[in-house]
């Protein structure tokens, strides 16, 4: 009897999804859908938060006050994105503290792009342009994701992202038009971030184990390879326009079909970084753990202050 | 300190005078006052609001989605509550 009910619930659930009816927190959903979303949204949240570190590294060294204010605002936005997303995981019944502890213990993943170091100011340009650019490509289809709270968070995030990419491209453009040293710095940043940016779309479709189910549930609307191709199509002309060279000797425009063809991604590097062996994995996790430990007194102080304020009110 | 975690708050924002407060999401804060300050930083960084409500999530009571059919059925069967239910002769205006 119970089995019949479950399959009936599952049928109705899929029917809603097929008709583009959003799933909301209290609606019935298959356990696997819930777990898939918790995993994906929390990974996304962790990426926003860990993603603050490589850029935070340059706030005190921004070349002028305008750049500094802009970078600060961008990094603050990323904190906001993390918070929207942690809230979305809580609507699925995930415990926020456990979610964060899973990041700190290394159990949870985050985007491997943030395990690369930011060596020069030009990296702030490359990150805004390429990393936020790739993130936008991933996030725009998520605005139509079947899970309501995730989709709504993504709408907000996407609105905020567009300035992130522009400020990065502005940095790259100005460096590319500057002195030969500045141009070389911009080119070097592009050289280091190009391939990791392409890896942001995840393993190729052939090796991606979650794609088919996620597409059926409309958590995902496009495959990794489709999004990666789209990113290459829009980004290569942007590089050309500002006089920078994409570091891929196999990159060519196919006149016959109107698409770019690009070289093979180094998947060994990708999996090594995912496994925790990237240049900065350890630094990033250490920084997050320290932030929690050293910030604990703030949480406690806020609780103490709240208690005091409540006592004063009832007195 | 007895409670370890800050409670969860639902945030509602009035985007401009004349409009309803609308649910925008949730956040954690030690008390209502701090929830409003946090909501200012998390949900209104680009002038999205002129007024904020916060309600502790525990205090929110919601209808059960599985009851939706029976809960809203009475409204579905009363088409005569809509103006389109009525025949109006041709030539009649201002109605
Ligand atoms: Fe972001
Ligand atoms: Fe961003």
């Amino acid at each position: 009897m119970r089995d019949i009910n479950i399959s009936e619930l599952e049928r109705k659930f899929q029917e809603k999804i097929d008709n583009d009816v959003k799933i909301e927190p209290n609606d019935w959903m298959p356990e696997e859908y819930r777990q898939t979303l918790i995993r994906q949204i929390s990974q996304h949240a962790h990426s926003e938060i860990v993603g603050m570190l490589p850029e935070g590294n340059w706030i005190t060294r921004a070349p002028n006050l305008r750049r500094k204010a802009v970078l600060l605002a961008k990094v603050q936005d990323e904190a906001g994105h993390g918070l929207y997303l942690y809230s979305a995981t809580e609507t699925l019944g995930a415990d926020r503290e456990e979610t964060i502890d899973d990041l700190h213990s290394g159990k949870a993943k985050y985007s491997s792009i943030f395990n690369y170091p930011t060596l020069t100011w030009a990296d702030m340009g490359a990150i805004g342009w390429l990393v936020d650019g790739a993130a936008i490509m991933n996030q725009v289809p998520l605005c139509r994701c079947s899970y309501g709270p995730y989709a709504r968070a993504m709408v907000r995030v996407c609105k905020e992202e567009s300035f992130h990419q522009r400020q990065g491209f502005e940095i790259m453009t100005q460096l590319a038009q500057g002195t030969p040293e500045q141009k070389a710095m911009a080119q070097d940043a592009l050289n280091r971030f190009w391939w990791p940016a392409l890896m942001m779309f995840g393993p190729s479709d052939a090796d991606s184990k979650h794609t088919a189910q996620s597409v059926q549930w409309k958590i995902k609307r496009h495959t990794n390879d489709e999004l990666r191709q789209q990113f290459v199509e829009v980004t290569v002309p942007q590089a050309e326009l500002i006089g920078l060279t994409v570091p891929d000797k196999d990159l060519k425009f196919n006149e016959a079909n109107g698409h770019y063809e690009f070289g093979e991604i180094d998947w060994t590097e990708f999996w090594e970084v995912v496994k925790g062996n990237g240049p900065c994995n350890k630094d990033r996790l250490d920084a997050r753990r320290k932030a929690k430990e050293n910030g604990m007194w703030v949480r406690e102080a806020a609780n103490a202050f709240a208690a005091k304020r409540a006592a004063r009110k009832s007195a | 300190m007895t409670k370890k975690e800050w409670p969860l708050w639902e945030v509602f924002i009035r985007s401009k005078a004349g409009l309803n407060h609308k649910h925008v999401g949730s956040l954690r804060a030690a008390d209502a006052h701090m929830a409003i300050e946090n909501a200012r930083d998390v949900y209104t960084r680009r002038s999205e609001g002129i007024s904020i409500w916060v309600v502790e999530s525990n205090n929110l009571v919601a209808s059960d989605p599985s009851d939706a059919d029976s809960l809203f059925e009475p409204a579905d069967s009363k088409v005569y509550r809509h103006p389109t239910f009525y025949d109006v002769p041709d030539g009649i205006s201002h109605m």
Side-chain angles (χ1 to χ4, degrees):
Chain A
M1 186 61 210
R2 209 176 151 267
D3 287 345
I4 298 169
N5 282 341
I6 293 281
S7 62
E8 177 60 12
L9 286 168
E10 274 174 353
R11 195 190 55 77
K12 279 193 173 152
F13 171 82
Q14 189 61 47
E15 196 178 271
K16 273 166 96 176
I17 288 186
D18 294 342
N19 292 324
D20 280 324
V21 176
K22 296 276 187 243
I23 307 302
E24 294 296 340
N26 294 334
D27 293 344
W28 186 89
M29 61 185 86
E31 196 45 34
E32 210 192 318
Y33 176 83
R34 184 186 299 277
Q35 293 310 328
T36 300
L37 278 170
I38 291 178
R39 191 186 62 239
Q40 180 171 336
I41 303 174
S42 60
Q43 277 184 14
H44 195 161
H46 300 328
S47 303
E48 302 286 353
I49 298 298
V50 176
M52 296 165 75
L53 297 169
E55 288 176 300
N57 178 37
W58 279 91
I59 291 174
T60 57
R61 290 174 290 161
N64 58 49
L65 201 54
R66 178 184 183 273
R67 296 283 185 216
K68 184 172 181 163
V70 168
L71 188 58
L72 199 56
K74 183 201 185 270
V75 173
Q76 193 190 0
D77 272 354
E78 305 301 1
H81 298 175
L83 293 173
Y84 307 151
L85 290 162
Y86 283 128
S87 296
T89 62
E90 286 195 276
T91 66
L92 290 157
D95 179 280
R96 182 181 297 218
E97 219 45 44
E98 275 175 28
T99 306
I100 291 169
D101 289 339
D102 281 349
L103 169 71
H104 296 178
S105 71
K107 189 177 156 207
K109 301 281 177 237
Y110 55 89
S111 181
S112 30
I113 190 81
F114 302 118
N115 291 315
Y116 291 86
T118 44
L119 305 176
T120 71
W121 172 252
D123 291 7
M124 297 304 97
I127 288 183
W129 173 34
L130 302 173
V131 176
D132 289 78
I136 291 169
M137 215 118 245
N138 264 323
Q139 288 166 344
V140 166
L142 288 172
C143 295
R144 296 190 299 128
C145 159
S146 60
Y147 187 58
Y150 193 25
R152 292 191 287 274
M154 280 302 107
V155 170
R156 190 180 294 278
V157 164
C158 285
K159 263 189 211 153
E160 300 183 352
E161 287 291 355
S162 56
F163 117 70
H164 297 181
Q165 194 186 19
R166 284 187 183 201
Q167 64 86 34
F169 193 64
E170 187 190 73
I171 291 171
M172 286 305 254
T173 305
Q174 289 200 354
L175 289 174
Q177 292 165 351
T179 63
E181 288 83 359
Q182 287 172 324
K183 184 167 182 182
M185 197 199 273
Q187 182 62 53
D188 169 63
L190 172 58
N191 292 349
R192 283 180 291 109
F193 278 94
W194 175 256
W195 290 104
L198 292 192
M199 294 176 199
M200 280 177 72
F201 297 94
S204 70
D205 294 350
D207 301 317
S208 177
K209 49 180 177 173
H210 304 302
T211 298
Q213 181 61 272
S214 288
V215 168
Q216 199 204 349
W217 280 335
K218 293 190 183 166
I219 293 172
K220 240 179 142 148
R221 298 269 181 170
H222 305 283
T223 69
N224 297 350
D225 287 336
E226 285 166 6
L227 291 167
R228 187 166 15 244
Q229 181 69 34
Q230 208 183 327
F231 177 77
V232 171
E233 307 279 357
V234 303
T235 312
V236 171
Q238 292 169 353
E240 282 168 359
L241 195 90
I242 58 172
L244 296 179
T245 309
V246 170
D248 178 356
K249 60 177 175 22
D250 298 318
L251 181 75
K252 59 170 184 288
F253 186 69
N254 184 328
E255 295 282 354
N257 64 16
H259 293 296
Y260 281 96
E261 288 164 7
F262 55 95
E264 184 64 29
I265 289 171
D266 181 353
W267 293 113
T268 318
E269 173 180 328
F270 173 78
W271 289 115
E272 276 306 304
V273 181
V274 169
K275 273 187 252 162
N277 303 324
C280 300
N281 296 57
K282 193 182 169 305
D283 284 2
R284 301 302 185 225
L285 285 191
D286 284 349
R288 288 316 308 158
R289 275 189 223 112
K290 249 206 234 148
K292 179 167 177 178
E293 285 159 23
N294 297 346
M296 201 49 92
W297 70 270
V298 179
R299 298 200 203 187
E300 284 160 13
N303 274 337
F305 185 64
K308 195 168 122 188
R309 186 148 54 192
R312 209 185 291 142
K313 217 173 156 188
S314 62
Chain B
M1 207 81 300
T2 47
K3 58 178 177 182
K4 191 180 127 239
E5 266 195 62
W6 293 347
L8 192 64
W9 302 81
E10 298 302 321
V11 181
F12 300 80
I13 295 196
R14 186 199 295 285
S15 58
K16 59 179 185 186
L19 297 180
N20 295 326
H21 284 78
K22 200 173 147 194
H23 183 244
V24 293
S26 55
L27 51 76
R28 289 199 173 262
D31 69 7
H33 204 270
M34 288 181 251
I36 286 182
E37 287 166 352
N38 291 358
R40 192 266 320 266
D41 292 340
V42 177
Y43 292 104
T44 66
R45 286 194 303 284
R46 287 173 175 76
S47 322
E48 290 95 335
I50 57 159
S51 164
I52 300 172
W53 286 353
V54 293
V55 180
E56 204 179 324
S57 310
N58 281 338
N59 293 329
L60 211 74
V61 182
S63 63
D64 183 344
S66 60
D67 292 343
D69 287 351
S70 57
L71 192 62
F72 299 111
E73 188 279 330
D76 291 342
S77 58
K78 294 175 181 62
V79 283
Y80 46 84
R81 283 177 173 165
H82 298 278
T84 46
F85 177 74
Y86 300 91
D87 290 329
V88 176
D90 288 346
I92 295 291
S93 53
H94 304 294
M95 189 178 280

